[in-house]
């Protein structure tokens, strides 16, 4: 997936995105986004509900689209801290400049 496709992904549903490229499932799982039973939600709405900034989500998806090593991807994207209702309370940005 190229940069233009990533930029147009916000309105696609979670299930559409995973169906097109299974590697993003790792990112969605790490953020607690249900792409199965609640996969009909657009990415932008699902991320907003979990208080995940869009730019961070798109950056993580870009990395997922560019990797062939799922185990390395899992190590790169640690689980964010979550409160009792499942919302992210802090998001760790690795290698931020």
């Amino acid at each position: 997936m190229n940069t233009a496709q990533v930029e147009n992904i916000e309105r696609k549903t979670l299930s559409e995105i995973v169906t097109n490229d299974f590697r993003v499932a790792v990112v969605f799982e790490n953020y607690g986004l249900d792409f199965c039973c609640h996969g009909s939600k657009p990415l932008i709405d699902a991320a907003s509900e979990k208080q995940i900034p869009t730019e961070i989500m798109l950056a993580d998806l870009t990395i997922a689209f560019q990797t062939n090593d799922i185990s390395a991807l899992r190590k790169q994207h640690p689980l964010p801290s979550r409160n009792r209702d499942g919302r992210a309370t802090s998001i760790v940005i690795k290698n931020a400049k």
Side-chain angles (χ1 to χ4, degrees):
M1 191 168 268
N2 62 38
T3 305
Q5 289 170 306
V6 170
E7 291 171 0
N8 294 321
I9 205 169
E10 294 176 7
R11 293 282 168 210
K12 289 188 176 190
T13 66
L14 299 178
S15 61
E16 286 175 321
I17 298 166
V18 172
T19 299
N20 287 329
D21 194 325
F22 71 93
R23 294 173 292 186
V24 300
V26 173
V27 176
F28 290 167
E29 288 171 353
N30 285 349
Y31 284 112
L33 298 177
D34 184 353
F35 54 88
C36 182
C37 297
H38 297 284
S40 61
K41 289 183 183 178
L43 173 62
I44 195 163
D45 295 341
S48 177
E49 287 177 11
K50 294 283 187 172
Q51 299 178 346
I52 303 166
T54 305
E55 62 276 3
I56 292 174
M57 177 62 67
L58 293 179
D60 287 350
L61 291 175
T62 299
I63 292 168
F65 292 136
Q66 295 171 348
T67 188
N68 290 321
D69 185 352
I70 296 298
S71 61
L73 183 62
R74 286 192 185 278
K75 290 176 186 174
Q76 255 183 336
H77 295 281
L79 291 171
S81 300
R82 299 193 177 282
N83 59 22
R84 282 189 277 174
D85 66 358
R87 293 189 178 188
T89 56
S90 65
I91 297 175
V92 177
I93 304 173
K94 296 182 98 175
N95 301 325
K97 292 181 181 179

